[in-house]
Amino acid sequence: MQRIFEIHPWEVTSHQLDRENKRLQESMTSIGNGYMGMRGFFEENYSGDTLPGIYIGGVWFPDKTRVGWWKNGYPKYFGKVINAVNFIKTNILINGEPIDLAVDSIHEFSLSLDMKHAILNRQFIVEKGSAQLKVTISRFVSAAQKELFVDAYQFNNVGSTDVTLTVNTQIDADVKNEDANYDERFWEIVDQSQGETSGTVLTRTKENAFGTPRFTVGHEMVNKTDLNPEKMDALDMAVQNQFNKKLIPQDTAYFEKRVVVLTSRDFEDQSNLVKAMHELTAQVADTSLTDLQTAHENVWARRWEKSDVVIDGDDAAQQGIRFNLFQLFSTYYGEDDRLNIGPKGFTGEKYGGATYWDTEAFAVPMYLGVADASVTRNLLMYRYKQLDGAFINAEQQGLNGALFPMVTFNGIECHNEWEITFEEIHRNGDIAFGIYNYTRYTGDKTYVLHEGSKVLTEISRFWADRVHYSKRNDKYMLHGVTGPDEYQNNVNNNWYTNYLAKWTLKYTLEILKEVSPEQAAQLNVSQTEKNQWQEIIDKMYLPEDKQLGIFVQDDGFLDKALIPVRDLPADQLPINQHWSWDKILRSCYIKQGDVLQGIWDFIDDFTPEQKRANFDFYEPLTVHESSLSASIHSILAADLHEEDKALEMYERTSRLDLDNYNNDTGDGLHITSMTGSWLAIVQGFAGMRVREDRLHFAPFLPKSWNAYQFRINFRGRIIQVHVSSEGTKLTLVTGQTLTVYVYGQPTQLEFKIVSA
């Protein structure tokens, strides 16, 4: 655990320039607007350790898969998010010398992410000889105008001598990924131009060998300042504007940089892209900074009004939940059904910036509660629109139906770890479960009876082909799989995978009874297929140990040395940073919930005794080395009335990145797992369940908290839930009268005006 930022309910603030943990600071001060985002690296050149990163949603590059043991079925390329053109680059010079916070003498430093208004602020006084300059910087990516980035500077000569201030600002295409092969670059210049206070760079991703689309990105900056412009020549890979002014002691100056970024994802014709870029630049150039910022803040105010969680009595817990919601909304708010939620979002290069199964398993249930149903529906449409790629993935493995990818940008698998990519097939069931979750929660069947029925049918065809029949056991089985626990891979009969396969087939058959005759004709599921699916449902093998009263994670799990984590020496944890991969795979240690993931998914389908037995058996063997682990354990602990354990796991999931629990936040935040803090409060502490179209709550108040409050969107209503030592109060903020259940007792909610 490592805490480098101060505790504050609405801010992530440090008054220390922590050069040793610069990357960690950058990760935690990332900002975004769903369309684009960036790490909190400095605008100016920094000679110390740093990881600059700007990313644009949906813009990626296929890198050739390089393995010396190529096998049929391997993906042809590894998809990766690429570092976008550095359009925030701005260097500051004092008397001709550039400032560099890695080596310069710095005073009164502060770095603060204002989560309420989604603005990153930085301030410092830098000394250069006898000169002292105070610099204040505020930047944001607009939530009101997705293509807009704004950077605002204030300068103050706080020394006793005159200072010649120079600001050199650029759009720089000479960038690379840290994980690139041989310092490979991915951008080429198509066109560039510059004036005294503006500049334009049109770039395109370089040719690739796989026929995937090349992306064109236009960047245009316009600068407003009371500094004096200088005439500058363009650079080979950049355009630049430069300004200067002599500041006498106590004199001030300002500089504003506004950048518009448009991509070929929205414009098929390059000339239309350029035209739109010029028009938007002219529009934002004529708008005041105050108006641009106010429009941006108003969007965030509406988001917080729907989703804010208020915790009384624990500022660290409060900061944690707001930080996670802020970063999630910065990554995705459902405006574009071509985009999804990458595990690192816009905060780093790791995981390639692609889409994983985390979306359906963890993000869907949270977004259903904090945003309009359309936001989650777009996540479902994302998968539907990529069915063609899922057909290709299954075909490459010689199987029928659709195999949705483990990692993707376009629906085609682009990850090259065999035991993960081709064995962690439970993601097909997770995607089906996401459809079920949406339908159950919203009551909206228009998706599942149309697009969703197609997705379910093709996933079911995959499962029917992927299982095999064991004549000796008269059971259907799934061999050679990996469950959510990636520390046990290439196993036979992972309980979670088998359970999801059986459940998906059953759910699909139920939906097929409801689709229209026209839709049924398009799906073309024969009675023979339906009979086969029903036989698999009836005979699916689900490993179980009657004596222990548990579901067995996989066929060989109980043959391992079952030594609890508490008996491991502390200096061997985390095991993924101290043990060989071979040793981990032979051990019993669980990276994240596996059997417990399935019990969480279908929490009302298991008896209290089953939940207790499985939790007591598997939790002591879990090392929680996945960011997705703690939230599931928190919810199940709450369900079992283990309130202290539930709070412990909440604290871990809510501050996983803020406290760098797993010592891996420096290369980016764990975006999809951030949903876990909301889930732990709402499904865990408040006991929220949907049963037979009714909303149920069974809240408890953590001992160290005075109260907590959240709002939840359910079927067109906004419901406010307030839990304190005095009890639970539910208020219908918007929408028609609704009956909900608290501790099993019906309560009718009627509309009443309340303050936010």
Side-chain angles (χ1 to χ4, degrees):
M1 177 173 161
Q2 181 184 21
R3 183 173 294 178
I4 65 170
F5 283 92
E6 299 161 14
I7 300 298
H8 187 284
W10 276 111
E11 296 177 6
V12 176
T13 299
S14 174
H15 288 89
Q16 177 185 359
L17 174 58
D18 191 344
R19 296 182 175 106
E20 294 298 314
N21 294 293
K22 179 69 162 52
R23 292 190 181 215
L24 198 54
Q25 280 193 338
E26 291 171 353
S27 292
M28 296 195 202
T29 54
S30 297
I31 57 174
N33 66 358
Y35 178 82
M36 61 181 172
M38 62 197 66
R39 290 170 56 80
F41 70 100
F42 296 164
E43 288 90 339
E44 69 275 6
N45 290 335
Y46 182 83
S47 61
D49 183 46
T50 181
L51 180 58
I54 301 174
Y55 312 100
I56 301 172
V59 175
W60 61 285
F61 189 83
D63 247 4
K64 179 176 175 55
T65 299
R66 290 180 169 89
V67 291
W69 51 91
W70 184 273
K71 301 290 189 303
N72 288 335
Y74 268 42
K76 295 178 181 179
Y77 57 78
F78 177 75
K80 65 194 302 180
V81 66
I82 52 176
N83 207 340
V85 169
N86 185 354
F87 55 79
I88 77 170
K89 186 172 184 178
T90 301
N91 283 311
I92 304 166
L93 294 83
I94 299 175
N95 299 329
E97 293 185 36
I99 69 168
D100 178 358
L101 270 63
V103 295
D104 285 341
S105 177
I106 302 297
H107 307 287
E108 298 183 22
F109 177 87
S110 70
L111 177 67
S112 181
L113 175 61
D114 177 349
M115 298 182 289
K116 188 171 187 176
H117 303 108
I119 296 175
L120 179 60
N121 300 299
R122 180 162 57 108
Q123 182 173 285
F124 55 88
I125 294 175
V126 56
E127 289 188 14
K128 287 282 191 181
S130 60
Q132 294 188 19
L133 184 70
K134 183 176 182 178
V135 183
T136 303
I137 311 168
S138 296
R139 77 189 191 203
F140 63 92
V141 281
S142 175
Q145 185 69 58
K146 66 179 183 180
E147 303 91 349
L148 176 63
F149 166 79
V150 177
D151 217 352
Y153 289 73
Q154 289 288 333
F155 302 101
N156 186 1
N157 181 2
V158 295
S160 57
T161 61
D162 292 352
V163 169
T164 299
L165 169 66
T166 303
V167 174
N168 178 280
T169 191
Q170 300 183 15
I171 301 175
D172 182 9
D174 187 19
V175 297
K176 66 181 180 67
N177 276 42
E178 188 171 63
D179 64 355
N181 296 312
Y182 315 112
D183 288 335
E184 184 179 27
R185 263 61 171 175
F186 298 101
W187 295 102
E188 59 186 35
I189 297 285
V190 176
D191 192 18
Q192 64 186 86
S193 63
Q194 70 182 43
E196 284 192 340
T197 61
S198 63
T200 302
V201 174
L202 195 65
T203 58
R204 182 173 54 206
T205 52
K206 69 177 188 178
E207 290 277 7
N208 67 80
F210 308 103
T212 63
R214 300 172 70 185
F215 295 96
T216 300
V217 182
H219 319 74
E220 188 160 40
M221 67 176 173
V222 59
N223 302 298
K224 292 178 172 292
T225 182
D226 58 0
L227 303 174
N228 305 308
E230 295 183 50
K231 187 173 178 57
M232 301 292 291
D233 293 328
L235 305 171
D236 287 343
M237 292 292 288
V239 296
Q240 60 177 333
N241 296 152
Q242 187 158 296
F243 309 87
N244 65 70
K245 185 178 182 181
K246 179 173 286 188
L247 303 181
I248 64 174
Q250 306 308 310
D251 202 359
T252 62
Y254 78 93
F255 171 78
E256 297 174 19
K257 180 175 187 176
R258 303 170 186 184
V259 184
V260 167
V261 181
L262 278 73
T263 82
S264 57
R265 294 179 68 251
D266 298 319
F267 298 90
E268 292 185 8
D269 186 272
Q270 181 175 301
S271 62
N272 289 337
L273 184 156
V274 172
K275 180 182 178 183
M277 178 174 63
H278 292 333
E279 290 175 350
L280 184 54
T281 301
Q283 176 186 323
V284 300
D286 290 338
T287 307
S288 71
L289 175 63
T290 298
D291 287 346
L292 291 175
Q293 186 168 320
T294 298
H296 164 72
E297 292 179 358
N298 286 343
V299 174
W300 274 95
R302 291 192 294 271
R303 292 176 178 179
W304 286 120
E305 185 178 12
K306 287 182 180 179
S307 64
D308 189 26
V309 178
V310 181
I311 298 172
D312 180 7
D314 189 334
D315 285 346
Q318 177 69 87
Q319 184 185 43
I321 183 66
R322 284 184 175 144
F323 178 72
N324 292 343
L325 288 171
F326 169 80
Q327 292 295 347
L328 281 159
F329 295 161
S330 298
T331 304
Y332 183 84
Y333 207 76
E335 294 93 346
D336 188 341
D337 63 13
R338 299 168 299 171
L339 298 177
N340 208 287
I341 309 168
K344 291 290 182 184
F346 299 120
T347 73
E349 301 172 12
K350 193 175 179 181
Y351 302 123
T355 300
Y356 281 59
W357 66 279
D358 309 15
T359 292
E360 283 74 20
F362 293 88
V364 162
M366 188 210 78
Y367 275 95
L368 283 170
V370 299
D372 293 340
S374 61
V375 173
T376 305
R377 188 184 177 107
N378 275 348
L379 289 173
L380 304 186
M381 288 300 298
Y382 175 88
R383 297 294 189 181
Y384 173 73
K385 289 184 173 183
Q386 294 186 349
L387 256 174
D388 288 344
F391 290 142
I392 292 171
N393 300 331
E395 183 181 2
Q396 286 181 336
Q397 307 314 309
L399 295 165
N400 295 324
L403 173 59
F404 282 91
M406 183 67 184
V407 177
T408 195
F409 290 93
N410 59 0
I412 295 175
E413 182 63 65
C414 61
H415 191 260
N416 54 15
E417 287 184 68
W418 181 267
E419 69 274 18
I420 307 301
T421 303
F422 301 106
E423 295 184 345
E424 203 167 330
I425 55 175
H426 67 81
R427 79 259 193 168
N428 249 17
D430 294 301
I431 288 166
F433 186 71
I435 296 172
Y436 165 75
N437 239 346
Y438 171 84
T439 306
R440 174 183 61 161
Y441 192 89
T442 65
D444 172 20
K445 286 193 172 183
T446 58
Y447 178 84
V448 73
L449 294 181
H450 294 89
E451 299 93 343
S453 63
K454 178 66 171 175
V455 174
L456 291 170
T457 295
E458 299 303 339
I459 288 175
S460 293
R461 284 176 169 148
F462 171 84
W463 284 129
D465 202 20
R466 181 61 169 80
V467 301
H468 73 272
Y469 176 68
S470 168
K471 184 176 181 180
R472 181 169 69 90
N473 294 286
D474 190 28
K475 293 287 185 183
Y476 284 90
M477 299 183 171
L478 285 162
H479 283 192
V481 300
T482 299
D485 172 22
E486 294 168 357
Y487 287 178
Q488 327 286 327
N489 60 52
N490 193 24
V491 301
N492 294 336
N493 296 309
N494 170 258
W495 180 87
Y496 178 70
T497 305
N498 288 22
Y499 193 94
L500 272 185
K502 174 181 177 176
W503 174 86
T504 302
L505 291 167
K506 182 179 178 182
Y507 182 51
T508 305
L509 288 177
E510 292 173 359
I511 293 302
L512 290 177
K513 295 175 183 177
E514 299 185 49
V515 299
S516 68
E518 295 77 14
Q519 183 69 5
Q522 291 183 19
L523 297 174
N524 194 27
V525 182
S526 68
Q527 189 59 48
T528 300
E529 272 189 292
K530 293 178 182 178
N531 293 341
Q532 180 198 18
W533 295 357
Q534 187 61 56
E535 182 178 350
I536 296 170
I537 293 166
D538 294 338
K539 294 186 176 182
M540 177 62 79
Y541 173 60
L542 297 171
E544 186 175 1
D545 188 288
K546 300 284 188 182
Q547 185 176 354
L548 293 173
I550 65 168
F551 308 121
V552 182
Q553 184 166 311
D554 59 73
D555 280 352
F557 190 86
L558 294 183
D559 295 326
K560 298 192 172 192
L562 303 176
I563 303 169
V565 176
R566 63 176 176 269
D567 291 345
L568 291 177
D571 61 3
Q572 293 186 29
L573 296 173
I575 62 172
N576 63 14
Q577 296 177 23
H578 293 87
W579 288 11
S580 70
W581 188 233
D582 172 71
K583 185 174 182 179
I584 290 173
L585 292 180
R586 288 187 286 106
S587 78
C588 68
Y589 299 113
I590 300 170
K591 182 182 181 184
Q592 67 189 78
D594 196 299
V595 168
L596 297 184
Q597 170 97 27
I599 292 176
W600 169 55
D601 283 349
F602 304 97
I603 197 165
D604 284 338
D605 293 348
F606 302 99
T607 67
E609 292 77 19
Q610 288 174 316
K611 288 184 275 192
R612 167 60 65 188
N614 282 279
F615 187 85
D616 287 350
F617 181 81
Y618 287 110
E619 197 283 328
L621 302 176
T622 305
V623 290
H624 301 295
E625 290 173 12
S626 164
S627 62
L628 300 170
S629 185
S631 59
I632 290 174
H633 289 80
S634 179
I635 295 165
L636 292 179
D639 188 77
L640 294 167
H641 305 293
E642 291 195 15
E643 297 179 5
D644 291 343
K645 186 68 174 180
L647 181 60
E648 174 196 339
M649 290 289 100
Y650 165 79
E651 290 172 345
R652 185 182 182 103
T653 191
S654 71
R655 298 192 60 85
L656 180 83
D657 287 317
L658 282 174
D659 290 342
N660 197 20
Y661 265 92
N662 289 341
N663 193 32
D664 61 357
T665 297
D667 56 13
L669 304 174
H670 299 82
I671 298 296
T672 46
S673 71
M674 288 178 166
T675 59
S677 51
W678 186 90
L679 293 169
I681 289 176
V682 176
Q683 292 189 8
F685 301 170
M688 189 277 285
R689 307 282 186 268
V690 178
R691 300 182 180 122
E692 298 179 348
D693 295 328
R694 298 289 191 178
L695 201 57
H696 291 248
F697 295 96
F700 77 87
L701 179 67
K703 296 173 185 176
S704 58
W705 294 7
N706 298 325
Y708 63 93
Q709 176 181 293
F710 60 87
R711 288 184 171 184
I712 191 167
N713 178 44
F714 181 73
R715 301 194 176 188
R717 289 94 162 176
I718 300 293
I719 301 163
Q720 182 168 286
V721 180
H722 184 273
V723 181
S724 70
S725 57
E726 297 177 358
T728 300
K729 180 182 178 182
L730 275 64
T731 305
L732 185 62
V733 180
T734 62
Q736 297 179 348
T737 299
L738 177 71
T739 298
V740 301
Y741 289 78
V742 181
Y743 305 114
Q745 298 301 311
T747 300
Q748 184 167 293
L749 302 181
E750 296 181 354
F751 174 71
K752 179 182 178 182
I753 297 176
V754 297
S755 58

